[in-house]
Amino acid sequence: MLPHSFAEELARAHSVAPDALPGAAFCALADGLLALLFPQRAERPLPTADAVEAELQYFRAELAALLAGVPALPASPAALADEFTAQLPALRAALLRDASAILASDPAAQGLPEIISSYPGFYATALYRLAHALHQRGLPRLPRLLSEYAHQRTGIDIHPGAHIGPAFCIDHGTGLVIGETAIIGANVQIYQGVTLGALSVTKGLQGTKRHPTIEDHVVIYAGATILGGSTVVGAHSIIGGNVWLTESVPSHSRVYHRAHIQISRNVDPAAELVFSI
């Protein structure tokens, strides 16, 4: 039997906890919005403009209703829903550019419908762009909730505060981390396991630029780690796999990690061991 004091401790924690957000409903609404913007993700296509317009009005009303349950909003729920809905044409255009960038860089991709409906990189980027639009309007907690939803489904963790330019391509993507103050230019391609992170800083530096800047037309291969708010990867650079980078490199750089790999043959594998743990 647990002591009563533990129950009292939990009760005090519950009494001062912030109001819970309707997180599951927001995530479901985001998935529904993607299905509306991209019929490749929809179970039931909408054949007429009137049907699409009705769905847009439904989305706008649902968003306003859900926002009404979010404390400390910077504006009224209706005004925020109107602003966000008005941004949908630009968001869709941006995401089509992202999908086209993936198609252009991935030899295995068979077309935009496949990328839009099944590529985790596209899905994570889509949720990021929705969350970033809400983050820019100063909504508390909700943008991070959406980005974490995408993280859980794809293994791709993009903070909604990051700034990512057009035609962004994530190839595979699991294990990819992009920090809050990272800035990524146009036509950047990033593989799985890449970290755009911060060097160790004190809590007092919260709000300062802590994550790197990646300029246009950069490719960053799997497992690379790039750290620091003043670190800039110049345009048209290639960062090889498993590189650990904490200083800037100029444009058109090629940065590779050279590993020492020994290959040999022996009928007794144990004879080839050069270390043990």
mmCIF file of all heavy atoms in Angstrom, residues 107-141:
data_model
loop_
_atom_site.group_PDB
_atom_site.id
_atom_site.type_symbol
_atom_site.label_atom_id
_atom_site.label_comp_id
_atom_site.label_asym_id
_atom_site.label_seq_id
_atom_site.Cartn_x
_atom_site.Cartn_y
_atom_site.Cartn_z
ATOM 1 N N PRO A 107 16.841 8.191 -56.658
ATOM 2 C CA PRO A 107 16.641 7.347 -57.844
ATOM 3 C C PRO A 107 15.548 6.294 -57.661
ATOM 4 O O PRO A 107 14.995 5.790 -58.644
ATOM 5 C CB PRO A 107 18.012 6.680 -58.025
ATOM 6 C CG PRO A 107 18.964 7.517 -57.252
ATOM 7 C CD PRO A 107 18.193 8.097 -56.122
ATOM 8 N N ALA A 108 15.239 5.952 -56.412
ATOM 9 C CA ALA A 108 14.231 4.919 -56.168
ATOM 10 C C ALA A 108 12.809 5.461 -56.231
ATOM 11 O O ALA A 108 11.858 4.680 -56.331
ATOM 12 C CB ALA A 108 14.463 4.286 -54.792
ATOM 13 N N ALA A 109 12.661 6.768 -56.171
ATOM 14 C CA ALA A 109 11.315 7.351 -56.142
ATOM 15 C C ALA A 109 10.642 7.189 -57.506
ATOM 16 O O ALA A 109 11.233 7.477 -58.545
ATOM 17 C CB ALA A 109 11.402 8.822 -55.762
ATOM 18 N N GLN A 110 9.384 6.763 -57.489
ATOM 19 C CA GLN A 110 8.664 6.493 -58.730
ATOM 20 C C GLN A 110 7.680 7.597 -59.096
ATOM 21 O O GLN A 110 6.960 7.463 -60.082
ATOM 22 C CB GLN A 110 7.933 5.159 -58.606
ATOM 23 C CG GLN A 110 8.891 3.987 -58.422
ATOM 24 C CD GLN A 110 8.166 2.665 -58.314
ATOM 25 O OE1 GLN A 110 6.929 2.612 -58.351
ATOM 26 N NE2 GLN A 110 8.916 1.593 -58.169
ATOM 27 N N GLY A 111 7.621 8.658 -58.316
ATOM 28 C CA GLY A 111 6.716 9.748 -58.664
ATOM 29 C C GLY A 111 6.225 10.477 -57.425
ATOM 30 O O GLY A 111 6.375 10.006 -56.297
ATOM 31 N N LEU A 112 5.630 11.650 -57.667
ATOM 32 C CA LEU A 112 5.135 12.449 -56.546
ATOM 33 C C LEU A 112 4.073 11.726 -55.716
ATOM 34 O O LEU A 112 4.080 11.851 -54.482
ATOM 35 C CB LEU A 112 4.585 13.778 -57.070
ATOM 36 C CG LEU A 112 5.628 14.800 -57.549
ATOM 37 C CD1 LEU A 112 4.937 16.056 -58.067
ATOM 38 C CD2 LEU A 112 6.593 15.159 -56.420
ATOM 39 N N PRO A 113 3.140 10.971 -56.326
ATOM 40 C CA PRO A 113 2.148 10.291 -55.489
ATOM 41 C C PRO A 113 2.787 9.363 -54.457
ATOM 42 O O PRO A 113 2.341 9.298 -53.298
ATOM 43 C CB PRO A 113 1.312 9.509 -56.507
ATOM 44 C CG PRO A 113 1.421 10.314 -57.757
ATOM 45 C CD PRO A 113 2.822 10.821 -57.764
ATOM 46 N N GLU A 114 3.833 8.649 -54.855
ATOM 47 C CA GLU A 114 4.508 7.753 -53.910
ATOM 48 C C GLU A 114 5.159 8.547 -52.778
ATOM 49 O O GLU A 114 5.070 8.173 -51.605
ATOM 50 C CB GLU A 114 5.569 6.933 -54.641
ATOM 51 C CG GLU A 114 6.314 5.969 -53.731
ATOM 52 C CD GLU A 114 7.486 5.304 -54.426
ATOM 53 O OE1 GLU A 114 8.218 6.007 -55.160
ATOM 54 O OE2 GLU A 114 7.678 4.101 -54.242
ATOM 55 N N ILE A 115 5.824 9.641 -53.130
ATOM 56 C CA ILE A 115 6.514 10.453 -52.110
ATOM 57 C C ILE A 115 5.511 11.064 -51.137
ATOM 58 O O ILE A 115 5.680 11.007 -49.919
ATOM 59 C CB ILE A 115 7.344 11.546 -52.803
ATOM 60 C CG1 ILE A 115 8.507 10.905 -53.551
ATOM 61 C CG2 ILE A 115 7.846 12.578 -51.800
ATOM 62 C CD1 ILE A 115 9.177 11.831 -54.538
ATOM 63 N N ILE A 116 4.449 11.645 -51.678
ATOM 64 C CA ILE A 116 3.477 12.329 -50.823
ATOM 65 C C ILE A 116 2.737 11.349 -49.910
ATOM 66 O O ILE A 116 2.437 11.660 -48.757
ATOM 67 C CB ILE A 116 2.489 13.122 -51.695
ATOM 68 C CG1 ILE A 116 3.221 14.298 -52.355
ATOM 69 C CG2 ILE A 116 1.302 13.617 -50.882
ATOM 70 C CD1 ILE A 116 2.409 15.015 -53.415
ATOM 71 N N SER A 117 2.488 10.156 -50.406
ATOM 72 C CA SER A 117 1.687 9.215 -49.627
ATOM 73 C C SER A 117 2.503 8.349 -48.684
ATOM 74 O O SER A 117 1.966 7.851 -47.688
ATOM 75 C CB SER A 117 0.889 8.310 -50.573
ATOM 76 O OG SER A 117 1.771 7.530 -51.374
ATOM 77 N N SER A 118 3.817 8.176 -48.954
ATOM 78 C CA SER A 118 4.522 7.163 -48.173
ATOM 79 C C SER A 118 5.903 7.549 -47.668
ATOM 80 O O SER A 118 6.467 6.817 -46.869
ATOM 81 C CB SER A 118 4.655 5.881 -49.007
ATOM 82 O OG SER A 118 5.427 6.127 -50.175
ATOM 83 N N TYR A 119 6.470 8.666 -48.094
ATOM 84 C CA TYR A 119 7.838 8.990 -47.680
ATOM 85 C C TYR A 119 7.839 9.678 -46.302
ATOM 86 O O TYR A 119 7.199 10.729 -46.141
ATOM 87 C CB TYR A 119 8.506 9.898 -48.711
ATOM 88 C CG TYR A 119 9.251 9.146 -49.794
ATOM 89 C CD1 TYR A 119 8.635 8.108 -50.486
ATOM 90 C CD2 TYR A 119 10.559 9.461 -50.114
ATOM 91 C CE1 TYR A 119 9.309 7.410 -51.472
ATOM 92 C CE2 TYR A 119 11.253 8.775 -51.108
ATOM 93 C CZ TYR A 119 10.613 7.756 -51.778
ATOM 94 O OH TYR A 119 11.284 7.075 -52.748
ATOM 95 N N PRO A 120 8.541 9.104 -45.332
ATOM 96 C CA PRO A 120 8.558 9.732 -43.998
ATOM 97 C C PRO A 120 9.184 11.121 -44.004
ATOM 98 O O PRO A 120 8.794 11.980 -43.207
ATOM 99 C CB PRO A 120 9.378 8.747 -43.152
ATOM 100 C CG PRO A 120 10.173 7.948 -44.136
ATOM 101 C CD PRO A 120 9.338 7.866 -45.378
ATOM 102 N N GLY A 121 10.161 11.335 -44.891
ATOM 103 C CA GLY A 121 10.781 12.655 -44.965
ATOM 104 C C GLY A 121 9.783 13.719 -45.374
ATOM 105 O O GLY A 121 9.786 14.837 -44.847
ATOM 106 N N PHE A 122 8.916 13.377 -46.330
ATOM 107 C CA PHE A 122 7.895 14.342 -46.745
ATOM 108 C C PHE A 122 6.896 14.586 -45.613
ATOM 109 O O PHE A 122 6.526 15.740 -45.337
ATOM 110 C CB PHE A 122 7.147 13.839 -47.987
ATOM 111 C CG PHE A 122 6.008 14.745 -48.377
ATOM 112 C CD1 PHE A 122 6.246 15.909 -49.094
ATOM 113 C CD2 PHE A 122 4.702 14.450 -48.006
ATOM 114 C CE1 PHE A 122 5.203 16.765 -49.431
ATOM 115 C CE2 PHE A 122 3.655 15.300 -48.339
ATOM 116 C CZ PHE A 122 3.910 16.452 -49.054
ATOM 117 N N TYR A 123 6.485 13.529 -44.941
ATOM 118 C CA TYR A 123 5.497 13.686 -43.860
ATOM 119 C C TYR A 123 6.058 14.548 -42.726
ATOM 120 O O TYR A 123 5.374 15.454 -42.224
ATOM 121 C CB TYR A 123 5.100 12.307 -43.328
ATOM 122 C CG TYR A 123 4.069 12.371 -42.232
ATOM 123 C CD1 TYR A 123 2.730 12.579 -42.529
ATOM 124 C CD2 TYR A 123 4.439 12.234 -40.895
ATOM 125 C CE1 TYR A 123 1.781 12.650 -41.522
ATOM 126 C CE2 TYR A 123 3.503 12.302 -39.883
ATOM 127 C CZ TYR A 123 2.172 12.502 -40.204
ATOM 128 O OH TYR A 123 1.229 12.580 -39.201
ATOM 129 N N ALA A 124 7.314 14.265 -42.334
ATOM 130 C CA ALA A 124 7.916 15.046 -41.249
ATOM 131 C C ALA A 124 8.062 16.511 -41.653
ATOM 132 O O ALA A 124 7.832 17.417 -40.844
ATOM 133 C CB ALA A 124 9.279 14.460 -40.875
ATOM 134 N N THR A 125 8.441 16.748 -42.908
ATOM 135 C CA THR A 125 8.567 18.127 -43.382
ATOM 136 C C THR A 125 7.199 18.817 -43.403
ATOM 137 O O THR A 125 7.083 19.995 -43.060
ATOM 138 C CB THR A 125 9.202 18.158 -44.774
ATOM 139 O OG1 THR A 125 10.477 17.508 -44.734
ATOM 140 C CG2 THR A 125 9.399 19.586 -45.263
ATOM 141 N N ALA A 126 6.173 18.079 -43.811
ATOM 142 C CA ALA A 126 4.826 18.654 -43.850
ATOM 143 C C ALA A 126 4.369 19.073 -42.452
ATOM 144 O O ALA A 126 3.869 20.197 -42.255
ATOM 145 C CB ALA A 126 3.848 17.655 -44.459
ATOM 146 N N LEU A 127 4.536 18.178 -41.477
ATOM 147 C CA LEU A 127 4.123 18.530 -40.108
ATOM 148 C C LEU A 127 4.973 19.679 -39.570
ATOM 149 O O LEU A 127 4.478 20.548 -38.834
ATOM 150 C CB LEU A 127 4.241 17.304 -39.200
ATOM 151 C CG LEU A 127 2.972 16.467 -39.014
ATOM 152 C CD1 LEU A 127 1.933 17.225 -38.194
ATOM 153 C CD2 LEU A 127 2.337 16.072 -40.350
ATOM 154 N N TYR A 128 6.269 19.690 -39.943
ATOM 155 C CA TYR A 128 7.122 20.807 -39.513
ATOM 156 C C TYR A 128 6.585 22.127 -40.072
ATOM 157 O O TYR A 128 6.486 23.125 -39.345
ATOM 158 C CB TYR A 128 8.574 20.602 -39.968
ATOM 159 C CG TYR A 128 9.277 21.930 -40.116
ATOM 160 C CD1 TYR A 128 9.692 22.646 -39.002
ATOM 161 C CD2 TYR A 128 9.439 22.515 -41.382
ATOM 162 C CE1 TYR A 128 10.273 23.909 -39.140
ATOM 163 C CE2 TYR A 128 10.018 23.771 -41.526
ATOM 164 C CZ TYR A 128 10.437 24.464 -40.395
ATOM 165 O OH TYR A 128 10.990 25.716 -40.525
ATOM 166 N N ARG A 129 6.246 22.155 -41.371
ATOM 167 C CA ARG A 129 5.813 23.438 -41.962
ATOM 168 C C ARG A 129 4.489 23.890 -41.349
ATOM 169 O O ARG A 129 4.270 25.099 -41.158
ATOM 170 C CB ARG A 129 5.727 23.301 -43.488
ATOM 171 C CG ARG A 129 7.090 23.045 -44.150
ATOM 172 C CD ARG A 129 7.164 23.603 -45.550
ATOM 173 N NE ARG A 129 8.415 23.260 -46.230
ATOM 174 C CZ ARG A 129 9.543 23.965 -46.085
ATOM 175 N NH1 ARG A 129 9.583 25.020 -45.309
ATOM 176 N NH2 ARG A 129 10.642 23.596 -46.731
ATOM 177 N N LEU A 130 3.602 22.976 -41.031
ATOM 178 C CA LEU A 130 2.368 23.365 -40.335
ATOM 179 C C LEU A 130 2.693 23.902 -38.936
ATOM 180 O O LEU A 130 2.185 24.952 -38.514
ATOM 181 C CB LEU A 130 1.415 22.173 -40.221
ATOM 182 C CG LEU A 130 0.909 21.544 -41.532
ATOM 183 C CD1 LEU A 130 -0.046 20.398 -41.222
ATOM 184 C CD2 LEU A 130 0.234 22.584 -42.409
ATOM 185 N N ALA A 131 3.554 23.180 -38.224
ATOM 186 C CA ALA A 131 3.906 23.590 -36.862
ATOM 187 C C ALA A 131 4.663 24.918 -36.873
ATOM 188 O O ALA A 131 4.450 25.773 -36.000
ATOM 189 C CB ALA A 131 4.754 22.509 -36.196
ATOM 190 N N HIS A 132 5.536 25.106 -37.862
ATOM 191 C CA HIS A 132 6.300 26.360 -37.941
ATOM 192 C C HIS A 132 5.372 27.546 -38.165
ATOM 193 O O HIS A 132 5.582 28.628 -37.586
ATOM 194 C CB HIS A 132 7.320 26.257 -39.077
ATOM 195 C CG HIS A 132 8.193 27.468 -39.224
ATOM 196 N ND1 HIS A 132 9.150 27.823 -38.291
ATOM 197 C CD2 HIS A 132 8.251 28.424 -40.198
ATOM 198 C CE1 HIS A 132 9.760 28.934 -38.680
ATOM 199 N NE2 HIS A 132 9.237 29.318 -39.831
ATOM 200 N N ALA A 133 4.356 27.357 -38.995
ATOM 201 C CA ALA A 133 3.400 28.444 -39.235
ATOM 202 C C ALA A 133 2.689 28.839 -37.943
ATOM 203 O O ALA A 133 2.451 30.027 -37.690
ATOM 204 C CB ALA A 133 2.383 28.020 -40.298
ATOM 205 N N LEU A 134 2.357 27.858 -37.112
ATOM 206 C CA LEU A 134 1.726 28.163 -35.818
ATOM 207 C C LEU A 134 2.740 28.770 -34.849
ATOM 208 O O LEU A 134 2.411 29.675 -34.074
ATOM 209 C CB LEU A 134 1.129 26.887 -35.224
ATOM 210 C CG LEU A 134 0.009 26.240 -36.050
ATOM 211 C CD1 LEU A 134 -0.383 24.893 -35.453
ATOM 212 C CD2 LEU A 134 -1.208 27.156 -36.119
ATOM 213 N N HIS A 135 3.970 28.272 -34.903
ATOM 214 C CA HIS A 135 5.029 28.798 -34.026
ATOM 215 C C HIS A 135 5.285 30.269 -34.314
ATOM 216 O O HIS A 135 5.486 31.084 -33.390
ATOM 217 C CB HIS A 135 6.300 27.977 -34.248
ATOM 218 C CG HIS A 135 7.436 28.348 -33.341
ATOM 219 N ND1 HIS A 135 8.336 29.357 -33.619
ATOM 220 C CD2 HIS A 135 7.816 27.839 -32.130
ATOM 221 C CE1 HIS A 135 9.221 29.447 -32.643
ATOM 222 N NE2 HIS A 135 8.933 28.549 -31.724
ATOM 223 N N GLN A 136 5.264 30.656 -35.576
ATOM 224 C CA GLN A 136 5.514 32.045 -35.944
ATOM 225 C C GLN A 136 4.431 32.977 -35.403
ATOM 226 O O GLN A 136 4.670 34.175 -35.250
ATOM 227 C CB GLN A 136 5.603 32.175 -37.461
ATOM 228 C CG GLN A 136 6.908 31.635 -38.053
ATOM 229 C CD GLN A 136 7.002 31.882 -39.531
ATOM 230 O OE1 GLN A 136 6.103 31.507 -40.284
ATOM 231 N NE2 GLN A 136 8.082 32.502 -39.962
ATOM 232 N N ARG A 137 3.244 32.431 -35.159
ATOM 233 C CA ARG A 137 2.158 33.246 -34.615
ATOM 234 C C ARG A 137 2.153 33.257 -33.088
ATOM 235 O O ARG A 137 1.228 33.801 -32.470
ATOM 236 C CB ARG A 137 0.814 32.733 -35.144
ATOM 237 C CG ARG A 137 0.588 33.102 -36.582
ATOM 238 C CD ARG A 137 -0.602 32.405 -37.198
ATOM 239 N NE ARG A 137 -0.878 32.950 -38.519
ATOM 240 C CZ ARG A 137 -0.159 32.690 -39.599
ATOM 241 N NH1 ARG A 137 0.870 31.864 -39.507
ATOM 242 N NH2 ARG A 137 -0.443 33.240 -40.761
ATOM 243 N N GLY A 138 3.149 32.619 -32.491
ATOM 244 C CA GLY A 138 3.297 32.696 -31.047
ATOM 245 C C GLY A 138 2.399 31.768 -30.261
ATOM 246 O O GLY A 138 2.173 31.996 -29.063
ATOM 247 N N LEU A 139 1.884 30.721 -30.895
ATOM 248 C CA LEU A 139 1.039 29.787 -30.161
ATOM 249 C C LEU A 139 1.892 28.980 -29.186
ATOM 250 O O LEU A 139 2.950 28.467 -29.561
ATOM 251 C CB LEU A 139 0.316 28.835 -31.113
ATOM 252 C CG LEU A 139 -1.067 29.301 -31.562
ATOM 253 C CD1 LEU A 139 -0.946 30.469 -32.523
ATOM 254 C CD2 LEU A 139 -1.827 28.151 -32.221
ATOM 255 N N PRO A 140 1.462 28.841 -27.944
ATOM 256 C CA PRO A 140 2.248 28.082 -26.968
ATOM 257 C C PRO A 140 2.007 26.583 -27.087
ATOM 258 O O PRO A 140 0.890 26.140 -27.352
ATOM 259 C CB PRO A 140 1.723 28.611 -25.626
ATOM 260 C CG PRO A 140 0.305 28.993 -25.913
ATOM 261 C CD PRO A 140 0.271 29.457 -27.348
ATOM 262 N N ARG A 141 3.053 25.803 -26.940
ATOM 263 C CA ARG A 141 3.012 24.341 -26.765
ATOM 264 C C ARG A 141 2.502 23.584 -27.978
ATOM 265 O O ARG A 141 3.011 22.515 -28.304
ATOM 266 C CB ARG A 141 2.166 23.970 -25.537
ATOM 267 C CG ARG A 141 2.754 24.496 -24.236
ATOM 268 C CD ARG A 141 1.748 24.440 -23.081
ATOM 269 N NE ARG A 141 1.197 23.120 -22.864
ATOM 270 C CZ ARG A 141 0.103 22.901 -22.146
ATOM 271 N NH1 ARG A 141 -0.542 23.912 -21.590
ATOM 272 N NH2 ARG A 141 -0.340 21.692 -21.977
#
